[in-house]
Amino acid sequence: MRITLSVIKADVGSIGGHTKPTDKMIDSAKKKITQAIKKGLLIDGLVTYTGDDICLIMSHKKGTDNKQIHLFAWDTFIGATKLADACGCYGAGQDLLVDAPSGNVRGAGPGVAEITFDFNRKEPRPAESFMVFAADKCGPGAYNLLLFLAFADPMYCAGLMLPKMIKGFRFEIIDMNNVKGGDHIITLDAPDHLYEIAMLLRDGERFGIKAIYSREYGEQAASLSTDRLHSIAGKYTGKDDPVALVRTQGIFPAPEELTSPFAKVPYVGGDARGSHNMPLMPVPINTPVTGMYCIPIVSALGFSLTPNGKFSEQYIDFFDNPAWDYVRLQAQKKAIEIRSQGWYGNAMLPYDELEYSGFKDTMKKLLKKFKVRKRA
Ligand code: 13P
Ligand code: MG
Ligand code: MG
């Protein structure tokens, strides 16, 4: 059968700052998922949160970009928004940027990652396993380095030397600053165009991985949310906080290969007021953001698909393991290090990327006060 995995996430309000949704908000989303499974819209579904973002992880037979699925997710977020509003939560409805989406929530605020594939339990996919990464307090290119290393560098993924992967992977990269007329996308193959890929991915504020495909089998390995909220809203409303859906094992990197680059805890744009650089810290699922200066966090869940397309009875939480405690400590050390220079230089994002328009307003006022002093 053809099966679609849809991961749709949004921040629709949180307790006492940009921390986590309330229990009632999560429970209401869970109820909606249960109803949708009963009605046959979904095969399965799971509700999680990473920081203040609610994530709906769903399997169904309706295909990618399906109106019913997207509107279901939108309604679920509207329900949670009402509860957030009722209890005075911060940023109720923050990521719902239009009154009503026309049928697809892409471009309306929520982040979307979807893959549709043949699920027949035969070679090259006798078993289907996948992972969902969700990051909070991050710019849209937060996975650029991490997935580049996992899919294109044998130092992190020795599996690339195996016959099933040795041809490498095809990267679809999107120019997120260019939204005129549709998505601006370039397709580049690794390893042939490794340096061109790196040239683009180094700038995670502008370019992001949109999808990755196996070159040997043509199968889609990964899908990532790449909408820039400020491009949709025309101003800063919240950080992009991307999700990534990645199929694993066999013809794709294994979870251990995929997660190994996360030990780097790279500096990413985002954090407090969406305007700083801080390291990305791996955390268990359902972790609130309460760390110093909104240290960015990322969760990683692993799933296996049952023969009828269900997955949520049991999942594995990769970063909920003492093995990652040392990495978390490294992230906090790097965080304290960069914060020690406060607002100076690389500790904050460059002027064009400063997210609160207020920072720019302050600057504009100052620029007006400059006076020209003639040189002698
Ligand atoms: P979120 O994008 O997670 O809502 O965070 C916004 C922010 O500005 C935190 O300081
Ligand atoms: Mg928020
Ligand atoms: Mg968030």
Side-chain angles (χ1 to χ4, degrees):
M1 66 172 156
R2 289 288 280 171
I3 203 155
T4 302
L5 298 173
S6 295
V7 179
I8 306 187
K9 70 95 213 173
D11 173 353
V12 291
S14 46
I15 316 165
H18 293 278
T19 58
K20 61 164 264 185
T22 68
D23 295 346
K24 276 190 184 164
M25 290 162 70
I26 295 294
D27 288 346
S28 84
K30 282 183 181 167
K31 267 186 205 146
K32 289 252 167 64
I33 291 268
T34 309
Q35 285 163 5
I37 296 170
K38 269 193 194 145
K39 282 185 192 156
L41 177 67
L42 300 179
I43 302 174
D44 208 352
L46 182 74
V47 182
T48 63
Y49 67 86
T50 301
D52 57 10
D53 298 311
I54 297 178
C55 189
L56 312 178
I57 306 168
M58 301 169 282
S59 66
H60 56 90
K61 289 186 188 168
K62 307 231 169 252
T64 298
D65 281 329
N66 177 269
K67 189 173 177 175
Q68 275 176 284
I69 298 294
H70 280 232
L71 291 184
F72 163 74
W74 184 267
D75 286 345
T76 303
F77 292 134
I78 290 281
T81 297
K82 285 182 186 152
L83 293 168
D85 193 43
C87 70
C89 278
Y90 192 75
Q94 179 181 292
D95 286 355
L96 307 185
L97 300 177
V98 300
D99 287 338
S102 55
N104 188 317
V105 297
R106 279 193 60 216
V112 182
E114 297 185 296
I115 306 181
T116 301
F117 52 90
D118 281 324
F119 181 51
N120 51 22
R121 308 179 79 217
K122 291 192 186 127
E123 287 297 340
R125 299 294 287 163
E128 188 59 46
S129 50
F130 66 95
M131 288 181 74
V132 174
F133 294 94
D136 190 32
K137 310 296 177 258
C138 291
Y143 302 107
N144 279 7
L145 175 65
L146 302 164
L147 293 193
F148 172 87
L149 295 176
F151 279 91
D153 189 341
M155 290 289 284
Y156 293 84
C157 177
L160 291 169
M161 295 182 277
L162 297 171
K164 285 178 177 174
M165 277 191 270
I166 203 148
K167 271 199 190 162
F169 287 90
R170 178 157 295 168
F171 284 70
E172 269 183 15
I173 298 171
I174 183 165
D175 178 351
M176 295 174 287
N177 281 0
N178 230 335
V179 288
K180 259 193 196 150
D183 292 339
H184 292 237
I185 291 169
I186 186 171
T187 302
L188 291 168
D189 286 345
D192 318 32
H193 297 284
L194 212 54
Y195 303 153
E196 286 94 337
I197 295 172
M199 182 69 224
L200 296 171
L201 296 187
R202 57 163 286 285
D203 183 356
E205 298 296 327
R206 175 162 181 187
F207 300 103
I209 301 170
K210 187 164 178 49
I212 303 175
Y213 294 84
S214 155
R215 290 177 70 191
E216 175 75 32
Y217 298 91
E219 288 278 330
Q220 185 167 0
S223 168
L224 287 84
S225 65
T226 48
D227 278 339
R228 296 217 63 180
L229 291 174
H230 79 195
S231 306
I232 301 169
K235 61 176 180 3
Y236 180 67
T237 54
K239 210 61 189 169
D240 309 286
D241 302 339
V243 283
L245 169 61
V246 188
R247 294 166 76 197
T248 57
Q249 295 286 21
I251 63 170
F252 303 128
E256 57 273 30
E257 291 163 333
L258 269 167
T259 51
S260 69
F262 286 76
K264 282 204 166 306
V265 294
Y267 288 115
V268 293
D271 339 312
R273 302 183 191 280
S275 300
H276 297 81
N277 279 313
M278 284 274 270
L280 183 60
M281 180 169 75
V283 294
I285 197 68
N286 303 335
T287 295
V289 166
T290 53
M292 181 182 124
Y293 232 64
C294 281
I295 184 169
I297 60 171
V298 59
S299 58
L301 290 187
F303 300 90
S304 282
L305 221 49
T306 68
N308 53 3
K310 287 197 165 282
F311 59 82
S312 69
E313 259 165 40
Q314 265 206 302
Y315 56 78
I316 185 83
D317 186 346
F318 279 94
F319 294 148
D320 186 12
N321 186 297
W324 291 95
D325 286 347
Y326 175 74
V327 172
R328 286 189 261 277
L329 206 60
Q330 293 302 312
Q332 287 167 64
K333 277 185 189 160
K334 277 179 79 168
I336 290 169
E337 193 57 47
I338 196 155
R339 292 276 45 89
S340 72
Q341 68 176 61
W343 46 266
Y344 183 67
N346 292 347
M348 276 188 96
L349 291 180
Y351 179 74
D352 280 346
E353 295 300 334
L354 286 180
E355 290 287 21
Y356 270 87
S357 31
F359 283 128
K360 291 187 176 173
D361 294 343
T362 304
M363 182 61 113
K364 276 182 206 150
K365 277 187 196 157
L366 287 169
L367 287 174
K368 277 188 198 149
K369 290 185 182 166
F370 275 73
K371 292 204 170 82
V372 183
R373 197 178 282 177
K374 285 255 163 64
R375 289 181 189 171

